[in-house]
Amino acid sequence: MKKSKKLLATMCMLLISFVMNGQQTTDNRQQTSDDVQESKTKKEKIYNEKGELIKQGWNFGPLPVVGFNSDLGFQYGACVDIFNYGDGSRYPKFDYKMNLEVSAYTKGSLNLRFYGDYYNLLPNSRLFVDAGYFTDKRFEFYGFNGYASPLYNDIYVLGQLSTVNSQRSTGDGQQSLTEMFDPEFKSVFYRMKRNQFRFNSCLRRQFGFGDNIYYGIGLSYFNYDMGRIEIQNEEFAYDQQMTLYELYRESGLIRDNEAEGGNITQLKLSFIYDTKNHDSDPTKGTYFEATLTGAPDLIDGKGHSHITFNAVWQHYFPIVKENLTFAYRIVTQNVIAGEIPYYAMFNSNMLFYKKMSTDAMGGANSVRGINRNRVVGEGYAWLNAEVRWKIAGFQFINQNWHIALNPFFDAGMVTQTFRLAEQELAWEKIQKKYQIAPKDAMNLIYSGVAEGLHTSAGCGLKIIMNKNFIISAEAAKALDARDGDNMKVYIGFNYLF
């Protein structure tokens, strides 16, 4: 009940912030000095054939950032959204959009991000620039290859004399590992640390033929700082708990030269076909993107050069004009050459990053309802399918509003495994190291089960302003307990795709 009240309060604060922003953007255009108001005629409002107010010029609005994510906790912070609609002839499409956000989550994540989305800054082009620094003190790590990695709910593991964390030493040279289960005990077995700096720039331009066919080029840079979870908690003995990340290091599944992260430089080349009628709230059209990403190991020199191929297919099919739409998305990515470090597999190498997080797969930005980062491999594919139903539309404070529901079904799986043969033998190395008899402990690294389809289902509520500002609340649950046994709730902004 307390959690429900907090979620309701979060939604109310988001709605209030949007109303304040809508009023402010109107006031910003109308407020002038008394002398100017007396000498100028009030600007006439212009409506389109649907009765919607056409937005023109600059819309500027500082907003509080309030959200919730079951994987990350409650979100709080501030952001600034800046839109330019030009003369309004493209409305609801914009000419320029910029956003600056500083926010944090109660479970230990921090987001510092700027992005700019510029149409026709260059003729027939779209320029996208994204830069951010993200810290995550409780980054989820469930192992490699999906269901090949077992998931034990409520497990915590006490270990001593780890080669990764020398503080856990008995002093007598003995090594131990003890598995225990307690739903009241705060476990960090599936947690680690990740800090990430990201810069991404890409340019999309029309080919000489066709209005909806484009090519894209991009340059990206990532710096990853990975390691054992650093949060201290004496009551639950975090410093004495063993983590899956450490077991992967000690068994060699995570190599020493990649264990603490590194630098990734990416060069991207894309082919794009785009007939969507709107970017943020599409109701018809198709979007296809095929991106080849080369990542030469220019900085670290550890032999981690690799090439990935990513493809995205999105289709929006109108059932009842713009009020009822069936939408689906298919995403696939594979490593086609070279050796990718484990920390780079979490990233989805699309040309444009619509969402702040680029992680795949599992969680709010991919397969909703399953544990974040539950599905990790060299290659993967996932499906999002949903019905978008606008149940109400109205005007308020000179803004155009809609209320919508979106029931959905998601699914995904690993299609290209990563070090699976080593994973099958890794537990034997741990048993020898800790002198564990086979009957004394469960295999924490390999389940013996082949990968399969990870599925989830749920429903969302959307509050849409001017087809560009969208408050989103979604709830989803995994259909297999191996992907998590709790209902997941996500409150934030925008449709998933």
Side-chain angles (χ1 to χ4, degrees), residues 70-133:
S70 292
D71 298 318
L72 303 172
F74 284 90
Q75 184 184 20
Y76 56 94
C79 73
V80 176
D81 269 318
I82 304 172
F83 284 89
N84 186 296
Y85 292 99
D87 60 5
S89 59
R90 286 168 38 87
Y91 180 82
K93 295 181 179 180
F94 54 83
D95 288 349
Y96 310 137
K97 177 183 179 181
M98 290 169 283
N99 175 276
L100 176 64
E101 178 175 325
V102 179
S103 65
Y105 285 92
T106 53
K107 291 186 179 181
S109 298
L110 173 68
N111 303 321
L112 305 173
R113 186 200 187 196
F114 167 83
Y115 76 87
D117 198 356
Y118 309 95
Y119 284 87
N120 297 322
L121 191 63
L122 299 174
N124 300 318
S125 300
R126 178 186 181 186
L127 175 66
F128 183 84
V129 179
D130 169 82
Y133 180 68

Side-chain angles (χ1 to χ4, degrees), residues 366-396:
S366 53
V367 181
R368 294 160 287 190
I370 76 172
N371 288 343
R372 187 170 66 132
N373 303 326
R374 177 65 177 105
V375 186
V376 177
E378 282 199 2
Y380 54 78
W382 82 73
L383 163 74
N384 308 111
E386 60 187 42
V387 175
R388 299 176 179 178
W389 178 27
K390 289 187 173 71
I391 59 177
F394 54 92
Q395 290 183 8
F396 178 55

Side-chain angles (χ1 to χ4, degrees), residues 69-73 105 107-111 134-143 151 190-194 346 357-376 478 483-484 488 490:
N69 184 315
S70 292
D71 298 318
L72 303 172
Y105 285 92
K107 291 186 179 181
S109 298
L110 173 68
N111 303 321
F134 313 95
T135 67
D136 198 332
K137 297 179 181 179
R138 297 175 182 268
F139 188 72
E140 288 95 329
F141 178 66
Y142 295 99
L151 174 64
Y190 294 114
R191 298 294 182 269
M192 61 182 295
K193 174 197 75 173
R194 187 188 76 169
F346 294 103
S357 173
T358 62
D359 292 334
M361 174 177 37
N365 298 315
S366 53
V367 181
R368 294 160 287 190
I370 76 172
N371 288 343
R372 187 170 66 132
N373 303 326
R374 177 65 177 105
V375 186
V376 177
D483 293 318
K488 302 283 189 178
Y490 315 105

Side-chain angles (χ1 to χ4, degrees), residues 315-341:
H315 187 206
Y316 307 87
F317 181 76
I319 300 173
V320 181
K321 296 183 178 180
E322 293 190 351
N323 294 322
L324 188 63
T325 303
F326 174 69
Y328 69 92
R329 175 177 71 164
I330 300 172
V331 180
T332 181
Q333 180 168 300
N334 291 89
V335 177
I336 60 176
E339 181 178 347
I340 188 172

